[in-house]
Amino acid sequence: MPIAVDIDVMLARRKMSVGELADRVGITPANLAVLKNGRAKAVRFATLAALCEALDCQPGDLLRWETEDGADG
């Protein structure tokens, strides 16, 4: 998939667990795992905003575009 998700990178930078982030954002850990592992087909802007607020980051810190061969664009 050409959109890569870097939630795990931000979690590590913030020294935060998946469970803690899920609680702060208001979603289940299972749904956060789907998003974190790149298996989500979509993300609501409200969820993206909540993730950015909880992680004190910008959307571009969580999502990036890659070419089909996996190289950064």
Side-chain angles (χ1 to χ4, degrees), residues 1 3-9 34-40 61-64:
M1 175 180 250
I3 301 298
V5 182
D6 290 329
I7 292 174
D8 52 349
V9 172
V34 167
L35 182 59
K36 184 174 80 75
N37 295 324
R39 296 189 317 261
D61 296 324
L62 302 177
L63 303 172
R64 64 187 156 80

Side-chain angles (χ1 to χ4, degrees), residues 18-45:
V18 171
E20 182 181 350
L21 180 59
D23 285 344
R24 289 185 183 195
V25 173
I27 62 177
T28 66
N31 283 341
L32 182 56
V34 167
L35 182 59
K36 184 174 80 75
N37 295 324
R39 296 189 317 261
K41 299 290 184 204
V43 60
R44 292 177 188 264
F45 281 164

Side-chain angles (χ1 to χ4, degrees), residues 4 14-16 26 32 39 41 52-53 58 65 69-70:
R14 302 297 186 250
K15 295 179 174 61
M16 189 183 301
L32 182 56
R39 296 189 317 261
K41 299 290 184 204
C52 289
E53 183 176 357
Q58 295 294 314
W65 178 80
D69 63 9

